[in-house]
Amino acid sequence: MSKVLFKTKLATVAILFIFISLLMACQNSNQLSNEVSEQLLLELVSDDTAVAQNALAQINEVNDIRFVPALIDLYWMGLVGLNEWSSSAQVIDSLEQLSGEQLGDDWSAWVVWYSQTEIEPPSGYINWKGDLFGKIDPTFADFFIDPVADSFRPGEIVYGGVVVDGIPALNSSEQVPATASHGTFSWEPVFGVSLNGDSRAYPLRIMDWHEMANDVIGGVPVSIAYCTLCGAAIAYEARLEDGTPLDFGSSGLLYRSNKLMYDRQTRSIWNQLTGEPVMGPALNRSERLDLVPITLTTWAEWLEMHPNSTILSEDTGYIRDYISGAAYGDYFVDDGTLFPVTFNDSILDAKDQIYGLVISGMPIAYPVHLLAEAKVLNDTVNSQDIVLVTAESLVQVQAFSHSEGDYTYQAGAQVRAYERADFQFKASDAPDQLLDQNGQLWQVREHELMSEDGVSLKRINGHLSFWFGWSGFYTDTAVYAP
């Protein structure tokens, strides 16, 4: 859809045609025809205020509730100065009339309310919203295309405050030996990934600024997708089912306060938390990214388990303040969120930290503080016996910000989950060993638990997240309670 259409002025004949079509639609239902709906969407963002307001009046007259997501977008346009007239009370009045809700000028509340409905937008909405966001960055328009995943609702997409790749991904950035890791403290939190004997660490203070790291680890293309807003760092095997490698970037768009990433090969939009494509060509291939084990830990603890590990160099090619907490420390300390979120607040608080697993199709969330207390937790989920092993202490960030000075916040915990078979495990005196019910020692490894007599139990891949991030996508999740 051409952006020139935003500047189209309605001719007298067109006005008459739409008015007649509107009357015919009113006689039969509260839904306008596709042709009329698409035209009214365009008129809502017309440079001619009279044309835009007339379109709004027609929508109100028919009471077509499908226009609610478009009107929420329209109200947002006015708030950020993209349309002079659309911040007016007229849009709010229309929203309240169509929805029956009285949420006033609280844009965030409107987004959350819409996310809890089943309202589908009118015909032409996807391309219209792409052109709308294209006023900020023309590349946005390229993302809003069919097909769209059935469970994905473009009406919930919001602008994250940066353009496409405004948060630059790291692509095969330099890794240095542990002996050359100047400026990295032993207590410092890192994300660790180990594949085929190749172990690498990615400091949080660097990943906070980049949120994506495309790398090849042990011969496997891997993308570490870190959503700082929802506290979830997830490692994916970055290739399509046919073996085509992918590298990902940050789209600048958000969905339920979770980052939407895109791949540069197919230009599709992917859900960072589930590893599924949600808009674009990749949907035609029924793709889903496989999880790769990733562990939040300290540099010292990671190095103890992986003495040959390398670590991401500060020499990324970008000028950033790579001090712990400099990018998002204030956000991690605060209980609030920056963007609209929908979650079950009767179970946990929005930013409570959980460790999430999907066991044979069943999602389950483990509150991190319970895992830290238990250290070793035997559980059965969906008829599968599992064990979660957690380091003795929570991972803390000793941070600094120019507004707060020195402070400390909790980044999460070092958690790994494994198959359990018929064993019952408990902690031993050594943090990297477990005892089973027979008193036999098991070694905690990155990919498996290994017994003294050679029995191996595989790791089950999961990741940390804030509660709102996990429950926003796994709405039917179970929550562990002792």
Side-chain angles (χ1 to χ4, degrees):
M1 186 180 294
S2 171
K3 298 175 183 60
V4 175
L5 289 177
F6 277 118
K7 298 184 178 180
T8 300
K9 298 205 174 181
L10 194 62
T12 303
V13 175
I15 293 176
L16 180 60
F17 171 78
I18 291 174
F19 181 69
I20 294 173
S21 300
L22 177 61
L23 289 178
M24 293 176 63
C26 286
Q27 293 174 356
N28 300 310
S29 73
N30 284 1
Q31 289 192 0
L32 296 162
S33 70
N34 289 347
E35 185 176 1
V36 174
S37 296
E38 291 172 13
Q39 186 63 40
L40 288 178
L41 283 172
L42 296 174
E43 292 165 16
L44 283 174
V45 288
S46 171
D47 288 340
D48 188 324
T49 300
V51 169
Q53 292 178 335
N54 180 63
L56 188 62
Q58 293 182 63
I59 293 168
N60 291 341
E61 184 176 348
V62 178
N63 207 36
D64 192 338
I65 196 172
R66 297 177 305 156
F67 280 84
V68 162
L71 294 183
I72 294 173
D73 294 331
L74 191 65
Y75 179 56
W76 169 80
M77 284 178 61
L79 294 178
V80 298
L82 290 179
N83 259 45
E84 292 184 1
W85 81 271
S86 61
S87 63
S88 70
Q90 292 172 291
V91 179
I92 296 174
D93 289 343
S94 294
L95 278 171
E96 293 184 339
Q97 174 185 321
L98 295 178
S99 68
E101 299 294 318
Q102 302 295 314
L103 301 178
D105 60 358
D106 190 338
W107 168 76
S108 180
W110 282 113
V111 175
V112 171
W113 174 81
Y114 173 69
S115 73
Q116 297 169 335
T117 73
E118 296 182 356
I119 299 171
E120 294 298 327
S123 175
Y125 174 76
I126 295 174
N127 289 339
W128 175 83
K129 186 160 184 171
D131 284 345
L132 173 65
F133 279 38
K135 291 187 173 185
I136 302 170
D137 180 349
T139 309
F140 283 144
D142 299 337
F143 294 143
F144 287 83
I145 59 174
D146 289 319
V148 177
D150 292 339
S151 60
F152 186 74
R153 309 179 74 206
E156 294 187 54
I157 296 176
V158 302
Y159 173 54
V162 295
V163 298
V164 178
D165 290 322
I167 300 175
L170 298 176
N171 299 300
S172 299
S173 295
E174 181 185 10
Q175 289 266 332
V176 297
T179 54
S181 60
H182 304 299
T184 304
F185 298 100
S186 60
W187 55 262
E188 186 174 323
V190 299
F191 298 121
V193 178
S194 182
L195 292 173
N196 301 324
D198 184 0
S199 302
R200 304 187 178 201
Y202 300 80
L204 265 68
R205 60 187 172 86
I206 298 178
M207 291 298 296
D208 279 349
W209 287 102
H210 297 280
E211 299 189 0
M212 293 291 312
N214 299 296
D215 217 336
V216 177
I217 306 175
V220 179
V222 173
S223 286
I224 298 174
Y226 180 31
C227 176
T228 51
L229 293 175
C230 57
I234 309 172
Y236 291 110
E237 187 172 327
R239 54 186 166 198
L240 300 176
E241 290 181 357
D242 63 6
T244 302
L246 301 173
D247 64 274
F248 289 87
S250 294
S251 70
L253 305 173
L254 300 174
Y255 187 81
R256 300 179 183 175
S257 200
N258 175 263
K259 72 177 293 170
L260 292 174
M261 58 191 192
Y262 78 98
D263 74 88
R264 297 188 173 93
Q265 283 67 38
T266 74
R267 306 291 293 181
S268 300
I269 292 291
W270 298 69
N271 183 325
Q272 180 268 352
L273 204 108
T274 65
E276 298 171 306
V278 291
M279 286 197 301
L283 264 80
N284 294 324
R285 307 165 59 107
S286 301
E287 302 283 355
R288 182 169 187 157
L289 301 175
D290 291 330
L291 289 173
V292 169
I294 187 169
T295 304
L296 170 70
T297 181
T298 65
W299 174 225
E301 290 173 328
W302 178 257
L303 200 57
E304 184 175 352
M305 284 190 70
H306 307 279
N308 295 323
S309 177
T310 58
I311 187 169
L312 180 65
S313 170
E314 287 188 13
D315 186 13
T316 62
Y318 298 93
I319 300 175
R320 297 291 189 274
D321 186 4
Y322 291 131
I323 297 176
S324 292
Y328 283 94
D330 295 350
Y331 173 76
F332 292 138
V333 170
D334 194 273
D335 291 334
T337 59
L338 295 178
F339 293 91
V341 299
T342 301
F343 67 100
N344 190 334
D345 60 358
S346 66
I347 300 177
L348 298 170
D349 292 335
K351 290 171 79 172
D352 281 351
Q353 293 174 325
I354 63 93
Y355 189 80
L357 294 169
V358 179
I359 306 294
S360 300
M362 178 179 173
I364 183 168
Y366 293 85
V368 164
H369 74 278
L370 294 179
L371 294 177
E373 292 171 5
K375 296 184 178 58
V376 178
L377 178 64
N378 298 283
D379 199 10
T380 301
V381 181
N382 211 11
S383 301
Q384 182 172 344
D385 295 327
I386 66 173
V387 59
L388 294 97
V389 184
T390 307
E392 293 185 10
S393 59
L394 297 169
V395 178
Q396 303 288 335
V397 180
Q398 299 177 32
F400 172 83
S401 78
H402 297 290
S403 60
E404 300 292 331
D406 294 320
Y407 60 100
T408 301
Y409 68 86
Q410 179 180 307
Q414 183 183 162
V415 184
R416 296 176 179 89
Y418 302 90
E419 296 175 352
R420 183 164 60 86
D422 296 325
F423 297 98
Q424 287 285 330
F425 291 103
K426 64 180 180 180
S428 72
D429 293 334
D432 60 345
Q433 291 181 333
L434 303 180
L435 286 169
D436 65 22
Q437 71 271 26
N438 300 316
Q440 182 175 212
L441 277 174
W442 292 70
Q443 191 70 35
V444 178
R445 297 180 177 177
E446 206 62 46
H447 293 271
E448 63 185 353
L449 293 178
M450 180 65 72
S451 71
E452 293 176 301
D453 56 5
V455 176
S456 173
L457 297 174
K458 294 181 180 179
R459 182 167 175 178
I460 303 171
N461 294 326
H463 60 83
L464 297 165
S465 175
F466 290 138
W467 168 240
F468 80 78
W470 179 263
S471 62
F473 295 99
Y474 295 107
T475 54
D476 59 344
T477 185
V479 179
Y480 173 80

